[in-house]
Amino acid sequence: MKLNAKLSLGALLLSVAAFAAAKDTTFINCTSRSPSGFSPALVMDGISYNASSQQVYNRLVEFKRGSTELEPGLAESWEISDDGLTYTFHLRKGVKFHANKVFTPSREFNADDVLFSFNRQRDPNHPYHKVSNGTYPYFNAMKFPSLLKAVEKIDDHTVRITLNKQDATFLASLGMDFISIYSAEYADKMLAAGKPETIDNQPIGTGPFVFAGYQLDQAIRFLANQDYWKGKAPIDRLIFSITPDATARYAKLQTGACDMMDFPNAADLARMKTDPKIQLLSQEGLNVAYIAFNTEKAPFDNQKVRQALNYAADKQTILNVVYQGAGIAAKNPLPPTIWGYNDDIKDYPYDLEKAKQLLAEAGYPNGFETELWVQPVVRNSNPNPRRMAEILQNDWAKIGVKAKLVSYEWGDYIKRTKEGQFAAGTYGWSGDNGDPDNFLSPLLSGENAGNSNYARWKNAEFDALLAKAIGLKDQNARAALYKQAQVIVKEQAPWITVAHSVTFTPLSLRVRDYKQSPFGYSAFYGVRVE
């Protein structure tokens, strides 16, 4: 998706200096990079969700602040049929959409907006389906195209969604960012004007903040929604100050030029904990950092090669150098904070002799040459991908595997990965709904090979376990199946599961009531500044 470098709303689009002048009602978030887009249906990364769905949009159901617990959103209530296939949502009345210089809504939120938000993604013949080169990565990763049988308008304030099969995660999935609710009226107007991509570049939602402008690689600005259905946010203005260097973000926080920064340097955490100018929040992250092997390419189509490189990875050094006490070694795709985690699994120990033996058995007694791709951005799961890759490069060299480090711009990196161009690479994931399926299915199911299953790994037994688990209501029965699935992943080794990070949020002392999201996102409704 191509972003507009300069989007303005006339008088609403204030300069950073003008925003900052009203310090008592302005919150400045120093973020590490520009979003890849402002349309939550089109993106699949936290930075972009922070700049769109977390501030501008709402969903039918939502997660309580700082929790994985669901609460009503744009649907104030719902019923589920006895067979678990039909969900009837009763929509909230009196909810107003935002306005901008090209659109002023003539009506309040209703069922048409829900149908547009679903059908744009699910119907290949929908007039908006191909707008902005839409591929709907998360909608597909959650298998919604095959899950949804019908999305119907019963009346202006009632929507019925029918599934093709039971899905224990469906309600929680509706709280995720990719299924945010857009304005169908805005979409119709922009389509008639011949500028349908406007809805993706200049977002209009029902959320707590109104998008007020974007200066490419500099700043994103929002104003509090005066008519927000939950009540106006305590802060009047919100700025995302795009500051790629973590040291610079910390300096801005110390001088009061920022109220919050993301992704602090691991080396700065000890200092931050005693810094009298900031408050440092932390929590165990619902995430995983991993190395994916392209299992469709030799030599990584050989299980013994993948196992050998697992044995040759010194995770303790990675934890010491990269995470510096802010992470734990990962032995499973699931973090230990989520139900269904299999703690009985034994990880591959660091054993170079075993690694050499497996390489020889696989037909590579002298090793081989390969590329190791390095993600160009810091994410919640990985504070320093480059340093992690360098450690692995050194480890693998000890068994004769010579890895050349390769990187690309972030959007290109993901595009090339999905196309299967890579051999092995660094990746990460943060959960979005608190369910084990939200890790295992998007990241490792055969159906998602070529989408969010970067390893392109396919295993029929694994897929059958996921399919059975998602159709069950009993959590203990589901957990047992997910534990079996994790055993298969460990044996097949499509990844090196590297680490689960602790997430840290440094704040200025004047910030009150900020709550860390278990999903690693930043939502600013309810935050106050003093």
Side-chain angles (χ1 to χ4, degrees):
M1 173 184 172
K2 185 177 181 180
L3 297 183
N4 241 332
K6 293 184 178 179
L7 303 175
S8 65
L9 304 177
L12 290 180
L13 184 51
L14 305 177
S15 68
V16 171
F19 269 63
K23 199 65 175 171
D24 57 327
T25 59
T26 299
F27 188 101
I28 302 177
N29 171 35
C30 277
T31 187
S32 59
R33 65 173 173 88
S34 298
S36 55
F38 290 102
S39 188
L42 301 177
V43 298
M44 203 176 187
D45 65 281
I47 292 288
S48 299
Y49 289 150
N50 288 344
S52 60
S53 40
Q54 290 293 309
Q55 322 308 332
V56 177
Y57 291 93
N58 290 116
R59 289 143 293 282
L60 290 177
V61 299
E62 302 196 330
F63 295 101
K64 292 183 178 179
R65 292 180 67 212
S67 170
T68 59
E69 185 180 348
L70 286 172
E71 64 180 0
L74 292 177
E76 59 184 3
S77 64
W78 52 87
E79 296 98 35
I80 306 172
S81 62
D82 291 342
D83 63 5
L85 297 178
T86 303
Y87 291 69
T88 303
F89 294 94
H90 303 284
L91 306 183
R92 196 174 298 276
K93 298 178 181 177
V95 176
K96 297 180 180 180
F97 277 101
H98 308 159
N100 61 21
K101 72 174 184 177
V102 298
F103 172 71
T104 300
S106 67
R107 63 165 176 80
E108 295 176 340
F109 157 75
N110 68 27
D112 293 332
D113 306 305
V114 178
L115 265 63
F116 170 83
S117 303
F118 277 81
N119 290 336
R120 175 190 182 177
Q121 300 188 67
R122 69 185 288 258
D123 180 5
N125 297 314
H126 192 280
Y128 263 88
H129 187 72
K130 295 181 181 179
V131 169
S132 303
N133 297 314
T135 58
Y136 313 107
Y138 221 141
F139 190 86
N140 291 320
M142 296 302 291
K143 304 176 183 176
F144 269 33
S146 60
L147 176 63
L148 298 176
K149 182 177 183 180
V151 182
E152 302 168 283
K153 174 182 176 179
I154 305 304
D155 56 44
D156 276 354
H157 295 97
T158 312
V159 170
R160 181 169 61 214
I161 300 177
T162 306
L163 308 184
N164 283 309
K165 57 185 176 182
Q166 288 190 13
D167 186 326
T169 70
F170 181 64
L171 201 59
S173 296
L174 295 185
M176 293 166 61
D177 295 61
F178 77 93
I179 203 65
S180 295
I181 304 302
Y182 294 66
S183 164
E185 185 186 14
Y186 183 34
D188 288 343
K189 182 172 182 178
M190 293 302 100
L191 186 65
K195 299 178 180 179
E197 68 281 352
T198 304
I199 75 164
D200 298 317
N201 293 332
Q202 299 184 44
I204 289 282
T206 58
F209 294 96
V210 178
F211 176 77
Y214 172 51
Q215 290 174 295
L216 183 64
D217 295 334
Q218 295 183 47
I220 312 166
R221 300 175 184 83
F222 306 88
L223 297 174
N225 179 3
Q226 301 292 327
D227 297 317
Y228 188 45
W229 55 274
K230 286 185 179 181
K232 178 190 166 295
I235 54 178
D236 294 319
R237 303 169 182 86
L238 174 64
I239 304 171
F240 283 23
S241 177
I242 299 164
T243 312
D245 182 72
T247 300
R249 293 198 296 277
Y250 186 17
K252 284 186 175 183
L253 187 65
Q254 290 179 305
T255 60
C258 289
D259 293 300
M260 173 178 150
M261 65 170 283
D262 63 11
F263 306 135
N265 278 328
D268 291 334
L269 291 173
R271 180 183 172 193
M272 287 181 173
K273 290 175 182 178
T274 59
D275 190 330
K277 296 181 179 180
I278 69 170
Q279 48 182 321
L280 184 65
L281 307 184
S282 66
Q283 68 177 7
E284 291 186 16
L286 199 69
N287 59 53
V288 61
Y290 63 96
I291 306 299
F293 300 118
N294 187 338
T295 59
E296 291 183 348
K297 277 188 177 179
F300 301 110
D301 56 349
N302 189 311
Q303 180 181 342
K304 288 187 176 181
V305 170
R306 303 193 299 264
Q307 290 176 334
L309 293 178
N310 268 272
Y311 278 112
D314 186 355
K315 291 185 186 179
Q316 191 56 53
T317 294
I318 291 174
L319 288 171
N320 294 342
V321 174
V322 176
Y323 290 85
Q324 300 190 31
I328 61 171
K331 62 183 180 180
N332 294 318
L334 299 181
T337 52
I338 203 168
W339 61 270
Y341 179 80
N342 191 341
D343 199 31
D344 292 332
I345 286 177
K346 304 298 180 185
D347 201 7
Y348 293 97
Y350 181 50
D351 187 339
L352 294 178
E353 292 307 313
K354 181 66 173 178
K356 291 176 182 177
Q357 175 194 330
L358 286 169
L359 275 187
E361 291 176 7
Y364 300 93
N366 300 315
F368 54 87
E369 293 183 3
T370 188
E371 289 183 345
L372 176 58
W373 286 21
V374 186
Q375 65 187 46
V377 296
V378 171
R379 304 181 74 188
N380 280 316
S381 56
N382 191 338
N384 195 333
R386 170 66 59 170
R387 192 71 189 96
M388 178 185 291
E390 290 170 347
I391 293 170
L392 285 168
Q393 180 186 43
N394 182 65
D395 290 341
W396 292 356
K398 295 173 184 176
I399 61 171
V401 176
K402 299 176 182 178
K404 176 185 177 183
L405 302 188
V406 174
S407 193
Y408 298 93
E409 178 274 328
W410 178 234
D412 198 26
Y413 186 88
I414 295 300
K415 178 178 180 291
R416 289 171 179 265
T417 294
K418 289 183 177 181
E419 291 172 351
Q421 295 184 28
F422 81 112
T426 63
Y427 300 93
W429 182 265
S430 293
D432 292 293
N433 64 14
D435 194 284
D437 183 81
N438 183 239
F439 281 81
L440 299 177
S441 185
L443 298 177
L444 290 161
S445 71
E447 190 173 333
N448 277 315
N451 184 28
S452 48
N453 174 358
Y454 298 151
R456 309 175 80 86
W457 177 67
K458 298 175 182 177
N459 182 280
E461 183 182 1
F462 176 86
D463 288 347
L465 289 169
L466 296 193
K468 183 177 180 181
I470 207 167
L472 300 177
K473 295 181 179 180
D474 182 77
Q475 189 177 106
N476 290 331
R478 293 183 67 207
L481 295 173
Y482 291 136
K483 288 180 179 181
Q484 293 178 46
Q486 289 165 77
V487 171
I488 296 171
V489 174
K490 183 54 61 175
E491 292 174 348
Q492 291 288 313
W495 294 0
I496 298 175
T497 49
V498 182
H500 307 292
S501 74
V502 175
T503 58
F504 290 89
T505 304
L507 302 165
S508 68
L509 295 179
R510 76 192 197 106
V511 176
R512 299 288 182 271
D513 296 335
Y514 179 83
K515 294 186 181 295
Q516 284 185 293
S517 164
F519 311 122
Y521 300 147
S522 298
F524 296 104
Y525 182 72
V527 177
R528 297 183 294 112
V529 289
E530 295 182 352

